[in-house]
């Protein structure tokens, strides 16, 4: 027995010696590779900083570069880009400006002309465009699985392409690619700033997965499986940790709303460097239109009384035709089915009498980006037929601005149903147009837009089919003077979202960084 025990001890010692002989070379190899990687990174940093010094000596001044791979898209994010550039150019005359873009088949002159036509923005000085070749690395279609991680890693490669093409003094990520920030800060030695429209991952997304709710990109087979849901929660938590570390590299953080602010503070954890800068909303075209009832308020009130309105503003018969207008791309998160179902319930409440069904119509205005969006519109039309409201619902796809303006100005209600909309430019446009807004009780509309202005109501909020239907019925029953008061307060409140207000806040947020750079 003792011999057997001795033999076992010898075998164990031999095994430990073998493991030690294998482990130590691995440790030495790891240390050598880590040292080699560190030397490579330091070499790259020195090379890139040398290029920046050479470029600055040639240009005679500092340079600011904006990372905006879709700068020719023509959306609200692009309006932020051009307004930011215009503000900085007007303030800092000795600074040159660069835009990294992934747009193909266009020239810089065509991009600027598109900005002038879409937004009526003309830059006071030239801007240099760096055309990146690998924008497909950040497109969701390139990553059918682990999309967030794939796009984030892809943005790092795209950011590296941008950095090697041009090394700026200040790098501004204006599209939300947080994983590019450490590349420009630690390898490029640049100051970095970011404007966040929407957090790549949020605590709301985590709660959706935890609750096994099939929303966002949470597929049904994942939401039904507790093990897969738990793994996805773990994946989201790890990704959120990495996202927070990357975002915290930013010297200045600007967010577009209070809702986005809450999520960025929770993830990036740099409150002293973070501020809200509302996006610029082009509402001038709407503000020129007089509000309905302003010029003949007394006559309208008398006509309302003749229709039988009581002291609380209720009326038995309203012969005016009311349009309820929704503006938004036909994307799933806009939740058009909720609008149609709520409208159907409203028609049931109003009945077929005078001022009822025939006096109401729902107008869905939006763009279709691809075949998937067009298929979604077909399903929405099918839902209208199923609910028996096809004759009262109009679909207007890819309409020109003039038609959009006519619809908004003549509408009674501006409808918005997206859950946790990060801001809500469409809601602001409705308020400027003199349309009474009914928005989702969440996100930017709840926290920033449909809020009291000088103690006066600016609109309505709802979060379910029944509450939307009830709110629409309440709005339709308001007296003309009550409607006019809400419209006036709403229109006055949108001044917070003007180009001038944005530029002032943007310059204030970036002033310290710019002053360091131009010394």
């Amino acid at each position: 027995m003792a011999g057997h025990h001795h033999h076992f001890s010898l075998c164990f010692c031999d095994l430990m010696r073998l493991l030690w002989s294998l482990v130590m070379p691995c440790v030495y190899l790891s240390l050598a590779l880590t040292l080699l990687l560190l030397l490579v990174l330091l070499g790259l940093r020195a090379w890139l900083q040398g290029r920046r010094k050479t470029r600055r000596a040639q240009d005679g001044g500092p340079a600011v570069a904006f990372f905006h791979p879709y700068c020719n898209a023509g959306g609200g994010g692009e309006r932020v880009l051009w307004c930011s550039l215009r503000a900085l150019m007007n303030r800092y005359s000795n600074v040159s400006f660069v835009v990294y873009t992934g747009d193909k088949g266009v020239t810089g002159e065509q991009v600027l002309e598109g900005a002038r036509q879409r937004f009526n923005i003309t830059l006071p000085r030239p801007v240099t465009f760096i055309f990146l070749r690998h924008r497909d690395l950040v497109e969701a279609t390139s990553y059918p699985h682990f999309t967030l991680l794939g796009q984030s890693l892809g943005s790092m490669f795209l950011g590296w392409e941008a950095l090697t093409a041009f090394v700026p003094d200040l790098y501004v990520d204006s599209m939300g690619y947080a994983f590019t920030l450490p590349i420009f800060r630690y390898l490029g030695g640049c100051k970095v700033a970011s404007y966040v429209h929407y957090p790549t991952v949020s605590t709301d997304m985590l709660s959706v997965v935890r609750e096994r709710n099939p929303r966002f990109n949470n597929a049904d087979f994942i939401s039904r499986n507790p093990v897969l849901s738990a793994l996805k929660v773990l994946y989201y938590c790890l990704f959120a940790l990495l996202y927070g570390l990357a975002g915290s590299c930013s010297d200045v953080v600007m967010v577009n709303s209070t809702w986005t602010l809450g999520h960025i503070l929770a993830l990036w954890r740099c409150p002293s460097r973070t501020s809200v800068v509302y996006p610029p909303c082009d509402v001038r075209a709407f503000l020129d239109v007089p509000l309905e009832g302003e010029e003949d308020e007394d006559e309208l009130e008398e006509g309302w009384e003749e229709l039988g309105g009581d002291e609380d503003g209720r009326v038995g018969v309203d012969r005016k035709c009311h349009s309820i207008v929704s503006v938004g791309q036909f994307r799933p998160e806009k939740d058009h089915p909720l609008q149609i179902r709520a409208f159907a319930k409203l028609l049931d409440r109003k009945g077929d009498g005078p001022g009822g069904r025939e006096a109401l119509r729902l107008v869905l205005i939006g763009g279709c980006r691809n075949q998937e969006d067009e298929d979604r519109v077909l399903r929405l039309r099918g839902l209208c037929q199923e609910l028996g409201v096809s004759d009262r619902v109009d679909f207007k796809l890819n309409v020109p601005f003039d038609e959009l303006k006519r619809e908004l100005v003549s509408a009674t209600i501006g409808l918005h149903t997206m859950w946790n909309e990060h801001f809500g430019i469409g809601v602001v446009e409705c308020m400027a147009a003199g349309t009474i807004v009914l928005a989702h009780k969440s996100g930017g509309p709840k926290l920033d837009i449909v809020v009291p202005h000088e103690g006066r109501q600016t609109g309505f909020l709802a979060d379910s089919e029944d509450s939307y239907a009830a709110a629409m019925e309440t709005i339709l029953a308001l007296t003309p003077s009550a409607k006019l008061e809400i419209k006036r307060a709403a229109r006055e409140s949108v001044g917070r979202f003007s180009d001038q207000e944005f530029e002032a806040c943007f310059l204030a947020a970036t002033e310290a960084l710019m002053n360091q750079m131009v010394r």
Side-chain angles (χ1 to χ4, degrees):
M1 188 72 177
H4 179 72
H5 178 73
H6 179 69
H7 178 71
F8 176 78
S9 299
L10 289 175
C11 290
F12 179 76
C13 291
D14 290 340
L15 178 62
M16 292 302 296
R17 280 194 291 270
L18 176 62
L19 291 176
W20 182 256
S21 67
L22 293 175
V23 167
M24 289 310 296
C26 290
V27 171
Y28 293 142
L29 180 61
S30 299
L31 290 174
L33 290 175
T34 301
L35 180 61
L36 178 62
L37 178 61
L38 182 61
L39 290 174
V40 169
L41 293 176
L42 290 174
L44 287 173
R45 178 182 170 90
W47 172 63
L48 291 168
Q49 289 186 334
R51 291 187 62 184
R52 186 178 73 246
K53 290 178 180 177
T54 301
R55 187 264 311 155
R56 184 160 179 167
Q58 292 174 346
D59 295 347
V64 176
F66 284 77
F67 188 75
H68 208 102
Y70 295 85
C71 75
N72 200 38
E78 288 65 60
R79 194 162 215 288
V80 167
L81 169 67
W82 304 122
C83 285
S84 302
L85 280 166
R86 182 175 62 187
L88 290 172
M89 285 181 175
N90 286 328
R91 172 70 69 87
Y92 303 99
S93 58
N94 63 329
V95 177
S96 58
F97 295 89
V98 169
V99 174
Y100 302 115
T101 179
D103 292 298
K104 298 177 181 178
V106 293
T107 63
E109 291 75 14
Q110 289 171 327
V111 172
L112 293 174
E113 177 62 19
R116 188 191 66 79
Q117 291 180 356
R118 294 186 188 105
F119 307 121
N120 194 29
I121 293 176
T122 301
L123 298 182
R125 289 193 280 122
V127 60
T128 302
F129 289 91
I130 305 292
F131 290 92
L132 307 176
R133 295 173 296 168
H134 301 103
R135 190 177 70 179
D136 56 311
L137 291 173
V138 299
E139 293 178 355
T141 53
S142 300
Y143 310 97
H145 305 292
F146 298 99
T147 307
L148 291 179
L149 181 60
Q151 286 181 286
S152 298
L153 291 174
S155 72
M156 296 178 73
F157 285 102
L158 193 64
W160 173 250
E161 181 187 348
L163 180 59
T164 53
F166 184 89
V167 187
D169 296 276
L170 171 62
Y171 168 78
V172 183
D173 166 39
S174 52
M175 275 201 75
Y177 292 107
F179 286 85
T180 64
L181 298 172
I183 292 176
F184 276 83
R185 176 166 184 171
Y186 296 116
L187 288 182
C190 312
K191 295 293 184 181
V192 293
S194 55
Y195 187 94
V196 185
H197 299 272
Y198 194 88
T200 303
V201 65
S202 68
T203 54
D204 294 319
M205 294 181 187
L206 292 172
S207 66
V208 165
V209 180
R210 286 195 186 100
E211 295 165 5
R212 296 163 61 186
N213 189 337
R215 193 182 293 182
F216 290 108
N217 59 344
N218 198 25
D220 288 341
F221 76 92
I222 293 179
S223 62
R224 289 195 299 263
N225 189 309
V227 176
L228 292 178
S229 291
L231 289 174
K232 189 160 187 178
V233 169
L234 178 61
Y235 161 61
Y236 267 46
C237 288
L238 291 174
F239 182 84
L241 176 63
L242 295 174
Y243 177 64
L245 290 173
S248 65
C249 295
S250 189
D251 296 298
V252 169
V253 182
M254 292 165 281
V255 297
N256 69 337
S257 69
T258 303
W259 181 86
T260 306
L261 175 68
H263 289 284
I264 291 300
L265 289 180
L267 294 166
W268 293 17
R269 300 181 183 279
C270 47
S272 61
R273 290 174 271 146
T274 307
S275 59
V276 176
V277 179
Y278 292 127
C281 304
D282 188 14
V283 297
R284 290 168 297 175
F286 300 108
L287 295 176
D288 293 339
V289 179
L291 293 175
E292 181 184 5
E294 273 191 321
E295 297 178 355
D296 53 338
E297 187 173 353
D298 293 336
E299 289 82 352
L300 275 175
E301 199 64 39
E302 291 175 5
W304 179 260
E305 292 171 358
E306 291 174 3
L307 288 173
D310 59 27
E311 293 180 356
D312 296 325
R314 304 291 172 181
V315 70
V317 178
D318 183 2
R319 294 182 176 84
K320 179 185 176 182
C321 182
H322 297 279
S323 65
I324 301 164
V325 175
S326 163
V327 180
Q329 286 184 326
F330 287 98
R331 306 199 309 259
E333 61 268 27
K334 296 298 182 181
D335 207 351
H336 290 91
L338 173 58
Q339 299 177 5
I340 295 170
R341 293 183 187 280
F343 181 67
K345 289 196 172 186
L346 173 66
L347 294 183
D348 290 339
R349 288 169 178 253
K350 300 291 284 185
D352 295 325
R357 180 187 183 92
E358 296 303 315
L360 300 172
R361 70 182 183 118
L362 174 63
V363 183
L364 303 179
I365 302 175
C368 286
R369 303 162 297 173
N370 47 40
Q371 185 61 46
E372 186 178 352
D373 287 354
E374 293 176 8
D375 293 340
R376 190 170 293 112
V377 171
L378 289 177
R379 291 194 294 272
L380 292 172
R381 292 184 187 274
L383 178 60
C384 292
Q385 291 180 346
E386 177 186 331
L387 298 176
V389 297
S390 296
D391 60 321
R392 307 312 306 158
V393 179
D394 298 329
F395 287 84
K396 300 201 172 186
L397 312 180
N398 304 315
V399 301
F401 179 75
D402 288 342
E403 185 175 353
L404 168 65
K405 180 178 177 180
R406 284 196 302 270
E407 289 288 350
L408 282 181
V409 168
S410 63
T412 302
I413 299 173
L415 193 59
H416 165 276
T417 50
M418 179 176 170
W419 175 71
N420 270 346
E421 173 90 77
H422 48 95
F423 181 69
I425 290 177
V427 177
V428 174
E429 290 175 342
C430 285
M431 295 167 74
T435 303
I436 296 181
V437 163
L438 173 55
H440 199 283
K441 194 176 182 179
S442 64
K446 176 186 177 183
L447 298 174
D448 294 307
I449 303 174
V450 190
V451 296
H453 176 69
E454 297 179 353
R456 295 179 293 163
Q457 184 178 4
T458 58
F460 294 78
L461 298 168
D463 57 7
S464 66
E465 292 175 21
D466 289 330
S467 60
Y468 269 101
M472 285 189 279
E473 190 174 25
T474 298
I475 294 170
L476 294 171
L478 292 173
T479 63
S481 60
K483 289 179 182 176
L484 184 57
E485 180 61 21
I486 294 174
K487 292 177 182 179
R488 282 173 173 164
R491 177 170 279 188
E492 291 171 13
S493 73
V494 300
R496 299 170 292 151
F497 313 121
S498 66
D499 288 5
Q500 295 76 17
E501 193 69 21
F502 167 81
E503 292 183 5
C505 293
F506 184 88
L507 289 173
T510 57
E511 184 175 17
L513 272 186
M514 294 297 296
N515 287 342
Q516 291 176 26
M517 190 177 64
V518 299
R519 283 174 186 168

